[in-house]
Each structure stands twice: as structure tokens, then as C-alpha cells.
Coordinates of all heavy atoms in Angstrom, one line a residue:
S1 N 54.0 12.6 66.4 CA 53.9 13.8 65.6 C 52.8 14.8 66.0 O 52.7 15.9 65.5 CB 53.7 13.5 64.1 OG 52.5 12.7 63.9
S2 N 51.9 14.3 66.8 CA 50.8 15.1 67.3 C 50.7 15.1 68.8 O 51.0 14.1 69.4 CB 49.5 14.6 66.6 OG 48.4 15.3 67.2
P3 N 50.3 16.2 69.4 CA 50.1 16.1 70.9 C 49.1 15.1 71.3 O 49.0 14.7 72.5 CB 49.8 17.6 71.2 CG 49.3 18.2 70.0 CD 50.0 17.5 68.9
Y4 N 48.2 14.8 70.4 CA 47.1 13.8 70.8 C 47.6 12.4 70.9 O 46.9 11.5 71.3 CB 45.9 13.9 69.8 CG 45.3 15.3 69.8 CD1 45.6 16.2 68.8 CD2 44.4 15.6 70.8 CE1 44.9 17.5 68.8 CE2 43.8 16.9 70.8 CZ 44.0 17.8 69.8 OH 43.4 19.0 69.8
H5 N 48.8 12.2 70.4 CA 49.4 10.8 70.5 C 49.8 10.4 71.9 O 50.1 9.3 72.2 CB 50.6 10.7 69.5 CG 50.1 10.7 68.1 ND1 51.1 10.8 67.1 CD2 48.9 10.7 67.5 CE1 50.4 10.9 65.9 NE2 49.1 10.8 66.1
K6 N 50.0 11.4 72.8 CA 50.5 11.1 74.1 C 49.4 10.4 74.9 O 48.2 10.8 74.9 CB 50.9 12.4 74.8 CG 51.6 12.3 76.1 CD 52.0 13.6 76.7 CE 52.7 13.4 78.0 NZ 53.2 14.7 78.7
N7 N 49.8 9.3 75.6 CA 49.0 8.5 76.5 C 47.8 7.9 75.7 O 46.7 7.7 76.3 CB 48.4 9.3 77.7 CG 49.5 9.8 78.6 OD1 50.5 9.2 78.7 ND2 49.3 11.0 79.2
R8 N 48.0 7.7 74.4 CA 46.9 7.1 73.6 C 47.1 5.6 73.5 O 48.3 5.1 73.5 CB 46.9 7.7 72.2 CG 45.7 7.5 71.4 CD 45.6 8.4 70.2 NE 44.4 8.1 69.4 CZ 44.1 8.8 68.3 NH1 44.9 9.7 67.8 NH2 43.0 8.6 67.7
A9 N 46.1 4.8 73.4 CA 46.2 3.4 73.3 C 46.9 3.0 72.0 O 46.7 3.7 71.0 CB 44.8 2.7 73.4
L10 N 47.6 1.9 72.1 CA 48.2 1.4 70.9 C 47.2 0.9 69.8 O 46.1 0.5 70.2 CB 49.2 0.2 71.3 CG 50.3 0.6 72.3 CD1 51.1 -0.6 72.6 CD2 51.2 1.7 71.7
R11 N 47.7 0.9 68.6 CA 46.8 0.5 67.5 C 47.0 -1.0 67.2 O 48.0 -1.6 67.4 CB 47.1 1.3 66.2 CG 46.8 2.8 66.3 CD 47.2 3.5 65.1 NE 48.7 3.6 65.0 CZ 49.3 4.2 64.0 NH1 48.6 4.7 63.0 NH2 50.7 4.2 63.9
G12 N 46.0 -1.6 66.6 CA 46.0 -3.0 66.2 C 46.8 -3.1 64.9 O 47.3 -2.2 64.3
P13 N 46.9 -4.4 64.4 CA 47.7 -4.6 63.2 C 47.0 -4.0 62.0 O 45.8 -3.7 62.0 CB 47.7 -6.1 63.1 CG 46.6 -6.6 63.9 CD 46.4 -5.6 65.0
R14 N 47.8 -3.8 60.9 CA 47.2 -3.2 59.7 C 46.2 -4.1 59.1 O 46.3 -5.3 59.1 CB 48.4 -2.9 58.8 CG 49.3 -1.8 59.3 CD 50.4 -1.5 58.2 NE 51.3 -0.5 58.6 CZ 51.1 0.8 58.6 NH1 50.0 1.3 58.2 NH2 52.1 1.6 59.0
G15 N 45.2 -3.4 58.4 CA 44.2 -4.2 57.7 C 43.0 -4.6 58.6 O 42.1 -5.3 58.2
G16 N 43.0 -4.2 59.9 CA 41.9 -4.5 60.8 C 41.9 -6.0 61.2 O 40.9 -6.5 61.7
A17 N 43.1 -6.7 61.1 CA 43.1 -8.1 61.4 C 43.1 -8.3 63.0 O 43.5 -7.4 63.7 CB 44.4 -8.7 60.9
V18 N 42.6 -9.4 63.4 CA 42.5 -9.7 64.8 C 43.8 -10.3 65.2 O 44.4 -11.2 64.6 CB 41.3 -10.6 65.1 CG1 41.2 -10.9 66.6 CG2 40.0 -10.0 64.6
L19 N 44.3 -10.0 66.4 CA 45.5 -10.5 66.9 C 45.3 -12.0 67.2 O 44.3 -12.4 67.9 CB 45.9 -9.9 68.2 CG 46.5 -8.4 68.1 CD1 46.8 -7.8 69.4 CD2 47.8 -8.5 67.2
R20 N 46.2 -12.9 66.8 CA 46.1 -14.3 67.1 C 46.6 -14.6 68.5 O 47.3 -13.8 69.1 CB 47.0 -15.1 66.1 CG 46.6 -14.9 64.6 CD 47.5 -15.7 63.8 NE 47.2 -15.6 62.4 CZ 47.8 -16.2 61.4 NH1 48.8 -17.0 61.7 NH2 47.4 -16.1 60.1
L21 N 46.1 -15.7 69.0 CA 46.6 -16.2 70.3 C 48.0 -16.6 70.3 O 48.5 -17.1 69.3 CB 45.7 -17.3 70.8 CG 44.2 -17.1 71.1 CD1 43.6 -18.4 71.4 CD2 44.0 -16.0 72.1
L22 N 48.7 -16.2 71.4 CA 50.1 -16.7 71.5 C 50.1 -18.2 71.8 O 49.4 -18.6 72.7 CB 50.8 -15.9 72.6 CG 51.1 -14.4 72.2 CD1 51.7 -13.7 73.4 CD2 52.0 -14.3 71.0
E23 N 50.9 -18.9 71.1 CA 51.0 -20.4 71.3 C 51.8 -20.7 72.6 O 52.9 -20.2 72.8 CB 51.7 -21.0 70.1 CG 51.8 -22.5 70.3 CD 52.4 -23.2 69.1 OE1 52.0 -22.9 68.0 OE2 53.4 -24.0 69.3
R24 N 51.1 -21.4 73.5 CA 51.7 -21.8 74.7 C 52.4 -23.2 74.6 O 51.8 -24.0 73.9 CB 50.7 -21.8 75.9 CG 50.1 -20.4 76.2 CD 49.1 -20.6 77.3 NE 48.0 -21.5 76.9 CZ 47.0 -21.8 77.8 NH1 47.0 -21.4 79.0 NH2 46.1 -22.6 77.4
D25 N 53.5 -23.4 75.3 CA 54.1 -24.7 75.3 C 53.2 -25.7 76.0 O 52.5 -25.4 77.0 CB 55.5 -24.6 75.9 CG 56.4 -23.8 75.2 OD1 56.2 -23.6 74.0 OD2 57.4 -23.2 75.8
I26 N 53.2 -26.9 75.5 CA 52.4 -28.0 76.1 C 53.1 -28.5 77.3 O 54.2 -29.0 77.2 CB 52.1 -29.1 75.0 CG1 51.3 -28.6 73.9 CG2 51.4 -30.3 75.7 CD1 51.1 -29.6 72.8
T27 N 52.4 -28.4 78.4 CA 52.9 -28.9 79.7 C 51.9 -29.9 80.3 O 50.9 -30.2 79.6 CB 53.2 -27.8 80.7 OG1 52.0 -27.1 80.9 CG2 54.3 -26.9 80.1
F28 N 52.2 -30.3 81.5 CA 51.3 -31.3 82.1 C 49.9 -30.8 82.4 O 48.9 -31.5 82.6 CB 51.9 -31.9 83.4 CG 52.0 -30.8 84.5 CD1 51.0 -30.8 85.5 CD2 53.0 -30.0 84.6 CE1 51.0 -29.9 86.5 CE2 53.1 -29.0 85.6 CZ 52.1 -29.0 86.6
N29 N 49.8 -29.4 82.5 CA 48.5 -28.9 82.9 C 47.7 -28.2 81.8 O 46.7 -27.6 82.0 CB 48.7 -27.9 84.1 CG 49.6 -26.8 83.7 OD1 50.3 -26.8 82.6 ND2 49.8 -25.8 84.6
N30 N 48.3 -28.3 80.6 CA 47.5 -27.7 79.4 C 47.7 -28.5 78.2 O 47.9 -28.0 77.1 CB 48.0 -26.2 79.2 CG 49.5 -26.2 78.7 OD1 50.2 -27.1 78.9 ND2 49.9 -25.0 78.2
V31 N 47.6 -29.8 78.3 CA 47.6 -30.7 77.2 C 46.3 -30.5 76.4 O 45.2 -30.5 76.9 CB 47.7 -32.2 77.6 CG1 47.7 -33.1 76.4 CG2 48.9 -32.4 78.4
P32 N 46.4 -30.3 75.0 CA 45.2 -30.0 74.3 C 44.2 -31.1 74.4 O 44.5 -32.3 74.4 CB 45.7 -29.8 72.8 CG 47.2 -29.4 73.0 CD 47.6 -30.2 74.2
E33 N 42.9 -30.8 74.4 CA 41.9 -31.8 74.4 C 40.6 -31.2 73.7 O 40.6 -30.0 73.5 CB 41.5 -32.2 75.9 CG 41.0 -31.0 76.7 CD 40.7 -31.4 78.1 OE1 40.6 -32.7 78.4 OE2 40.4 -30.6 78.9
I34 N 39.7 -32.0 73.4 CA 38.4 -31.6 72.7 C 37.5 -31.1 73.7 O 37.2 -31.7 74.7 CB 37.9 -32.8 71.9 CG1 38.8 -33.2 70.8 CG2 36.5 -32.4 71.3 CD1 38.3 -34.4 70.0
R35 N 37.0 -29.9 73.5 CA 36.0 -29.3 74.4 C 34.6 -29.5 73.9 O 33.7 -29.9 74.6 CB 36.3 -27.8 74.5 CG 37.5 -27.4 75.3 CD 37.7 -25.9 75.4 NE 38.8 -25.6 76.3 CZ 39.2 -24.4 76.5 NH1 38.6 -23.4 75.9 NH2 40.2 -24.2 77.3
E36 N 34.3 -29.2 72.6 CA 33.0 -29.4 72.0 C 33.1 -29.6 70.5 O 34.1 -29.2 69.9 CB 32.1 -28.2 72.4 CG 32.6 -26.9 71.8 CD 31.8 -25.7 72.3 OE1 31.5 -25.6 73.5 OE2 31.4 -24.9 71.4
I37 N 32.0 -30.1 69.9 CA 31.9 -30.3 68.5 C 30.5 -29.7 68.1 O 29.5 -30.2 68.6 CB 32.1 -31.7 68.1 CG1 33.5 -32.2 68.4 CG2 31.8 -31.9 66.6 CD1 33.7 -33.7 68.0
T38 N 30.5 -28.9 67.1 CA 29.3 -28.3 66.6 C 29.0 -28.8 65.2 O 30.0 -28.7 64.3 CB 29.4 -26.7 66.6 OG1 29.6 -26.3 67.9 CG2 28.1 -26.1 66.0
I39 N 27.9 -29.3 64.9 CA 27.5 -29.8 63.6 C 26.4 -28.9 63.1 O 25.3 -28.7 63.7 CB 27.0 -31.3 63.7 CG1 28.0 -32.2 64.2 CG2 26.6 -31.7 62.3 CD1 27.9 -32.4 65.7
A40 N 26.6 -28.2 62.0 CA 25.7 -27.3 61.4 C 25.4 -27.7 60.0 O 26.2 -28.3 59.2 CB 26.2 -25.9 61.4
S41 N 24.1 -27.5 59.5 CA 23.7 -27.8 58.2 C 22.9 -26.6 57.6 O 22.0 -26.1 58.3 CB 22.8 -29.1 58.2 OG 22.4 -29.4 56.9
N42 N 23.4 -26.2 56.4 CA 22.7 -25.1 55.7 C 21.8 -25.7 54.7 O 22.2 -26.4 53.8 CB 23.7 -24.1 55.1 CG 23.1 -22.9 54.5 OD1 22.0 -22.5 54.9 ND2 23.7 -22.4 53.4
V43 N 20.5 -25.3 54.8 CA 19.4 -25.9 53.9 C 18.7 -24.7 53.2 O 17.7 -24.3 53.7 CB 18.5 -26.8 54.7 CG1 17.6 -27.6 53.7 CG2 19.2 -27.8 55.6
P44 N 19.3 -24.2 52.2 CA 18.6 -23.0 51.5 C 17.3 -23.4 50.9 O 16.4 -22.5 50.8 CB 19.6 -22.5 50.5 CG 20.5 -23.7 50.2 CD 20.5 -24.5 51.5
D45 N 17.1 -24.7 50.5 CA 15.8 -25.1 49.9 C 14.7 -25.0 50.9 O 13.5 -25.2 50.5 CB 15.9 -26.5 49.3 CG 16.9 -26.5 48.1 OD1 17.1 -25.4 47.5 OD2 17.5 -27.6 47.8
A46 N 15.0 -25.0 52.2 CA 13.9 -25.0 53.2 C 13.1 -23.7 53.1 O 12.0 -23.7 53.7 CB 14.5 -25.1 54.6

């Protein structure tokens, strides 16, 4: 509806949500595995 729309980048989903990753099929070279584990503790009394 506006001349400024020409050659303009596409917009993201409504509400400012982040696009999720596309799920890939599990094959012999991308079997899910554990990469790292983070343990965090919040101590407000400190």
C-alpha cells in the first residue's frame, strides 16, 4: 500500500515473538546428545 514497502525486509511474527527453530529429522549424523549442563543458584539473602 506504500511505495516504501518495495524491497523492504519481511516482518517477524506478531507480538515480537522470536522465530522457533525448524525441527530437523533425526538421522545418523544429527542424533540429539547432551552438550552442557548449567547449575545456577539464586541467593537473595547473600
Side-chain angles (χ1 to χ4, degrees):
S1 58
S2 172
Y4 296 101
H5 291 172
K6 188 177 181 180
N7 298 330
R8 195 169 182 178
L10 300 178
R11 294 177 291 178
R14 293 186 181 276
V18 180
L19 288 177
R20 299 182 180 180
L21 294 177
L22 290 176
E23 181 179 308
R24 295 180 300 176
D25 295 334
I26 296 178
T27 59
F28 69 94
N29 57 354
N30 65 344
V31 180
E33 60 180 352
I34 295 177
R35 289 182 175 176
E36 62 184 50
I37 296 180
T38 301
I39 302 97
S41 179
N42 184 29
V43 192
D45 295 335

